[in-house]
Amino acid sequence: MSAESNQEIDIMHGLKTVLAQIEAAVSRRSKDLPQVAPRLVAVSKIKPAALIIQAYEGGQRHFGENYVNELAEKACDPQILEKCKEIKWHFIGHLQTNKINKLLGSPGLFMVETIDSEKLADNVNKQWVKYRKDEEKLKIMVQVNTSGEEAKNGIEPSESPKLVEHVLKNCPNLDFVGLMTIGQYDYDTSKGPNPDFLTLAKCRQEVCQKLNLDINNVELSMGMSCDFEHAIELGATTVRVGSNIFGARPPKKA
């Protein structure tokens, strides 16, 4: 068996395993939470187009990238354009103003999960007009820094209703769909529920109460390879999983 077909089985196996784990986590979720089937975003950063195509052929449609250049390059890859016609790209990294056009021009862009200021929302809202088809709005999430770490992007939890309100009132080309957090890595759940996930869920409650929104229509994007099941139990509607599907990434160079 060639290395390639070997890898193929691994990706299919990874996808099936993660989807089964998602289903099991949903069954453990409190009935008080919005009963939304969680969306799996396969995080394909630094993985080649060939592996994305394999996952797509295995039924996966939503893919996430952290860097604008990488998302733009993959979205324009001739193989992906030809073989993955229904691919939906999620941008899940920090968006700099000078990269907005490059991101918005990427074929198959489905959602920007990391809007973290009024200025960024206004810029994306203004530029999207050049790229959208018909009157289509761009789906966005507001990123919240739930862990208070300086290295993480996102607004303060208390600021989330204000930013969401700004998007709803002043950004007619954007479709606000939910809140997103990165949260701290490797939280030890033996200490109790992850406070970052609880904080994001609380932010959603506040946003919905203050702005009179239906909680069932406001998503929570939280949870990664190490903690996505726990995130679903606490109400995640989108989980971003990379290494469990595509295999471990090489460690960052020092």
Side-chain angles (χ1 to χ4, degrees):
M1 194 182 274
S2 71
E4 199 175 325
S5 52
N6 220 339
Q7 216 162 14
E8 201 169 339
I9 293 162
D10 283 349
I11 286 202
M12 296 308 156
H13 174 72
L15 259 181
K16 278 189 185 139
T17 306
V18 169
L19 290 169
Q21 288 169 312
I22 287 174
E23 211 170 304
V26 166
S27 68
R28 298 191 295 271
R29 184 170 63 182
S30 158
K31 295 291 172 265
D32 298 335
L33 289 163
Q35 298 301 302
V36 178
R39 175 198 291 126
L40 170 61
V41 174
V43 180
S44 45
K45 68 178 180 189
I46 81 161
K47 297 296 177 184
L51 297 193
I52 293 169
I53 292 165
Q54 282 179 22
Y56 184 93
E57 286 169 352
Q60 181 60 25
R61 290 294 176 267
H62 293 266
F63 291 82
E65 288 290 341
N66 288 62
Y67 298 105
V68 171
N69 289 354
E70 195 171 351
L71 188 150
E73 195 179 308
K74 287 175 178 171
C76 295
D77 182 282
Q79 291 284 96
I80 288 178
L81 284 170
E82 184 196 336
K83 296 182 175 177
C84 311
K85 300 237 187 289
E86 290 170 22
I87 198 163
K88 294 175 168 64
W89 292 106
H90 292 240
F91 184 67
I92 56 174
H94 179 53
L95 180 55
Q96 294 160 306
T97 312
N98 62 348
K99 295 276 176 77
I100 290 174
N101 280 317
K102 188 166 197 176
L103 177 65
L104 300 187
S106 303
L109 179 68
F110 179 75
M111 190 186 296
V112 177
E113 294 197 17
T114 48
I115 298 294
D116 60 359
S117 71
E118 291 184 4
K119 186 183 164 202
L120 182 61
D122 290 341
N123 267 315
V124 173
N125 176 66
K126 190 173 133 197
Q127 301 301 338
W128 179 240
V129 183
K130 294 190 282 197
Y131 301 100
R132 67 180 179 189
K133 297 176 185 73
D134 307 318
E135 291 298 300
E136 181 193 14
K137 292 185 173 194
L138 175 67
K139 290 179 170 51
I140 65 105
M141 287 191 178
V142 162
Q143 183 177 1
V144 183
N145 184 346
T146 51
S147 58
E149 295 168 83
E150 277 186 22
K152 299 242 163 68
N153 295 298
I155 51 160
E156 297 274 320
S158 61
E159 294 288 306
S160 45
K162 186 169 170 272
L163 181 51
V164 173
E165 185 175 29
H166 177 83
V167 170
L168 294 172
K169 283 188 171 170
N170 305 301
C171 302
N173 305 314
L174 304 184
D175 178 16
F176 166 73
V177 295
L179 304 171
M180 178 265 210
T181 190
I182 305 281
Q184 55 179 310
Y185 295 112
D186 294 335
Y187 172 76
D188 178 4
T189 48
S190 68
K191 295 176 182 166
N194 186 322
D196 288 317
F197 299 162
L198 294 176
T199 297
L200 198 69
K202 190 166 162 250
C203 279
R204 173 170 67 179
Q205 271 175 317
E206 284 173 12
V207 163
C208 291
Q209 279 163 358
K210 285 184 179 167
L211 304 176
N212 202 16
L213 302 176
D214 179 349
I215 200 163
N216 293 294
N217 297 334
V218 180
E219 297 188 30
L220 295 180
S221 175
M222 57 190 195
M224 297 184 270
S225 284
C226 57
D227 56 13
F228 69 92
E229 293 163 276
H230 179 57
I232 289 169
E233 289 168 32
L234 296 181
T237 61
T238 288
V239 290
R240 310 176 302 267
V241 180
S243 49
N244 293 23
I245 298 168
F246 294 108
R249 286 191 287 269
K252 283 181 181 158
K253 293 186 178 74

